[in-house]
Short mmCIF file of all heavy atoms in Angstrom, two decimals:
data_model
loop_
_atom_site.label_atom_id
_atom_site.label_comp_id
_atom_site.label_asym_id
_atom_site.label_seq_id
_atom_site.Cartn_x
_atom_site.Cartn_y
_atom_site.Cartn_z
N LEU I 10 107.52 119.84 99.28
CA LEU I 10 107.15 118.38 99.20
C LEU I 10 105.58 118.31 99.10
O LEU I 10 105.04 117.64 98.23
CB LEU I 10 107.57 117.72 100.57
CG LEU I 10 106.98 116.32 100.81
CD1 LEU I 10 107.54 115.31 99.85
CD2 LEU I 10 107.28 115.90 102.20
N PHE I 11 104.91 119.10 99.91
CA PHE I 11 103.42 118.95 99.89
C PHE I 11 102.87 119.62 98.65
O PHE I 11 101.88 119.19 98.13
CB PHE I 11 102.79 119.56 101.13
CG PHE I 11 103.18 118.68 102.32
CD1 PHE I 11 104.10 119.26 103.28
CD2 PHE I 11 102.58 117.49 102.54
CE1 PHE I 11 104.42 118.36 104.40
CE2 PHE I 11 102.88 116.75 103.72
CZ PHE I 11 103.88 117.26 104.58
N VAL I 14 102.82 116.92 96.03
CA VAL I 14 101.73 115.98 96.24
C VAL I 14 100.39 116.58 95.69
O VAL I 14 99.63 115.95 95.04
CB VAL I 14 101.59 115.63 97.73
CG1 VAL I 14 100.31 114.85 97.94
CG2 VAL I 14 102.76 114.91 98.20
N THR I 139 103.64 102.65 99.79
CA THR I 139 104.88 103.33 100.35
C THR I 139 104.45 104.23 101.51
O THR I 139 103.23 104.74 101.53
CB THR I 139 105.36 104.35 99.21
OG1 THR I 139 105.83 103.63 98.14
CG2 THR I 139 106.58 105.06 99.73
N VAL I 140 105.30 104.29 102.49
CA VAL I 140 104.89 105.07 103.62
C VAL I 140 105.97 106.23 103.66
O VAL I 140 107.16 105.92 103.43
CB VAL I 140 104.89 104.31 104.94
CG1 VAL I 140 106.20 103.66 105.22
CG2 VAL I 140 104.35 105.28 106.12
N ARG I 141 105.49 107.43 103.98
CA ARG I 141 106.48 108.60 104.15
C ARG I 141 106.12 109.22 105.43
O ARG I 141 104.95 109.38 105.75
CB ARG I 141 106.15 109.60 103.05
CG ARG I 141 106.94 110.91 103.11
CD ARG I 141 107.09 111.70 101.87
NE ARG I 141 105.82 112.00 101.38
CZ ARG I 141 105.50 112.19 100.07
NH1 ARG I 141 106.35 112.00 99.12
NH2 ARG I 141 104.29 112.55 99.67
N VAL I 142 107.15 109.49 106.18
CA VAL I 142 107.00 110.28 107.45
C VAL I 142 107.70 111.65 107.15
O VAL I 142 108.71 111.73 106.70
CB VAL I 142 107.59 109.58 108.68
CG1 VAL I 142 106.77 108.34 108.93
CG2 VAL I 142 109.06 109.17 108.50
N SER I 143 107.01 112.68 107.64
CA SER I 143 107.57 113.98 107.33
C SER I 143 107.36 114.87 108.48
O SER I 143 106.35 114.68 109.27
CB SER I 143 107.13 114.57 106.11
OG SER I 143 105.65 114.63 106.01
N HIS I 151 111.79 117.49 107.14
CA HIS I 151 112.54 116.23 107.09
C HIS I 151 111.57 115.10 106.71
O HIS I 151 110.39 115.16 106.95
CB HIS I 151 112.96 115.87 108.48
CG HIS I 151 113.97 116.83 109.07
ND1 HIS I 151 115.31 116.69 108.71
CD2 HIS I 151 113.91 117.86 110.03
CE1 HIS I 151 115.97 117.67 109.39
NE2 HIS I 151 115.18 118.35 110.15
N HIS I 152 112.00 114.30 105.80
CA HIS I 152 111.15 113.17 105.45
C HIS I 152 111.94 111.97 105.03
O HIS I 152 113.04 112.07 104.59
CB HIS I 152 110.09 113.58 104.37
CG HIS I 152 110.75 113.55 103.00
ND1 HIS I 152 111.40 114.67 102.55
CD2 HIS I 152 110.71 112.73 102.04
CE1 HIS I 152 111.80 114.49 101.33
NE2 HIS I 152 111.39 113.21 100.98
N SER I 153 111.35 110.83 105.19
CA SER I 153 111.91 109.59 104.71
C SER I 153 110.76 108.73 104.21
O SER I 153 109.61 108.88 104.68
CB SER I 153 112.71 108.90 105.84
OG SER I 153 111.85 108.48 106.85
N GLU I 154 111.17 107.77 103.31
CA GLU I 154 110.06 107.05 102.70
C GLU I 154 110.58 105.63 102.63
O GLU I 154 111.71 105.41 102.46
CB GLU I 154 109.98 107.57 101.20
CG GLU I 154 108.67 108.03 100.83
CD GLU I 154 108.61 108.50 99.45
OE1 GLU I 154 108.98 107.79 98.48
OE2 GLU I 154 108.23 109.70 99.23
N SER I 155 109.66 104.70 102.74
CA SER I 155 110.04 103.29 102.55
C SER I 155 108.83 102.47 102.04
O SER I 155 107.75 102.96 102.15
CB SER I 155 110.54 102.72 103.80
OG SER I 155 109.55 102.74 104.80
N VAL I 170 109.06 102.48 110.19
CA VAL I 170 109.28 103.98 109.98
C VAL I 170 110.19 104.40 111.07
O VAL I 170 110.26 103.97 112.21
CB VAL I 170 107.95 104.78 110.05
CG1 VAL I 170 107.21 104.50 108.73
CG2 VAL I 170 107.01 104.22 111.18
N TRP I 178 104.75 114.87 113.56
CA TRP I 178 105.08 114.31 112.35
C TRP I 178 103.77 113.99 111.56
O TRP I 178 102.75 113.94 112.22
CB TRP I 178 105.85 112.98 112.47
CG TRP I 178 107.26 113.29 112.89
CD1 TRP I 178 107.75 113.60 114.11
CD2 TRP I 178 108.47 113.11 112.07
NE1 TRP I 178 109.10 113.64 114.17
CE2 TRP I 178 109.55 113.34 112.88
CE3 TRP I 178 108.69 112.87 110.79
CZ2 TRP I 178 110.96 113.33 112.45
CZ3 TRP I 178 109.93 112.77 110.32
CH2 TRP I 178 111.04 113.03 111.09
N VAL I 179 103.87 113.89 110.27
CA VAL I 179 102.76 113.44 109.45
C VAL I 179 103.16 112.16 108.82
O VAL I 179 104.26 112.05 108.11
CB VAL I 179 102.32 114.42 108.39
CG1 VAL I 179 101.26 113.82 107.63
CG2 VAL I 179 101.80 115.78 109.10
N LEU I 180 102.35 111.12 108.93
CA LEU I 180 102.61 109.89 108.25
C LEU I 180 101.72 109.77 106.94
O LEU I 180 100.50 110.09 107.10
CB LEU I 180 102.28 108.87 109.22
CG LEU I 180 102.63 107.34 108.85
CD1 LEU I 180 102.91 106.52 110.11
CD2 LEU I 180 101.60 106.74 108.08
N THR I 181 102.23 109.57 105.93
CA THR I 181 101.47 109.52 104.62
C THR I 181 101.61 108.16 103.93
O THR I 181 102.73 107.70 103.71
CB THR I 181 101.98 110.64 103.65
OG1 THR I 181 101.92 111.90 104.36
CG2 THR I 181 101.02 110.77 102.38
N LEU I 182 100.48 107.52 103.74
CA LEU I 182 100.45 106.30 103.00
C LEU I 182 100.23 106.52 101.64
O LEU I 182 99.23 107.36 101.25
CB LEU I 182 99.29 105.54 103.61
CG LEU I 182 99.35 104.03 103.69
CD1 LEU I 182 100.66 103.59 104.56
CD2 LEU I 182 98.15 103.40 104.31
N ILE I 183 100.97 106.05 100.74
CA ILE I 183 100.85 106.28 99.33
C ILE I 183 100.60 105.01 98.58
O ILE I 183 101.44 104.09 98.67
CB ILE I 183 102.18 107.02 98.77
CG1 ILE I 183 102.40 108.29 99.54
CG2 ILE I 183 101.95 107.41 97.30
CD1 ILE I 183 103.87 108.83 99.41
N HIS I 188 96.84 109.43 98.58
CA HIS I 188 97.61 109.86 99.70
C HIS I 188 96.76 109.86 100.91
O HIS I 188 95.85 110.72 101.07
CB HIS I 188 98.29 111.24 99.44
CG HIS I 188 99.32 111.19 98.35
ND1 HIS I 188 98.91 111.01 97.05
CD2 HIS I 188 100.63 111.29 98.38
CE1 HIS I 188 100.11 111.03 96.30
NE2 HIS I 188 101.13 111.17 97.07
N VAL I 189 97.09 109.12 101.86
CA VAL I 189 96.31 109.10 103.13
C VAL I 189 97.19 109.66 104.16
O VAL I 189 98.23 109.04 104.52
CB VAL I 189 95.74 107.65 103.51
CG1 VAL I 189 95.03 107.74 104.76
CG2 VAL I 189 94.94 107.25 102.35
N ASP I 190 96.90 110.76 104.79
CA ASP I 190 97.74 111.45 105.87
C ASP I 190 97.16 111.02 107.19
O ASP I 190 96.05 110.97 107.50
CB ASP I 190 97.52 112.93 105.73
CG ASP I 190 98.38 113.49 104.57
OD1 ASP I 190 99.35 112.74 104.17
OD2 ASP I 190 98.14 114.61 104.11
#
Side-chain angles (χ1 to χ4, degrees):
L10 171 68
F11 292 107
V14 171
T139 300
V140 61
R141 173 161 60 209
V142 292
S143 50
H151 292 284
H152 76 278
S153 67
E154 240 177 56
S155 61
V170 284
W178 288 74
V179 176
L180 189 150
T181 307
L182 211 58
I183 304 161
H188 290 73
V189 178
D190 283 338

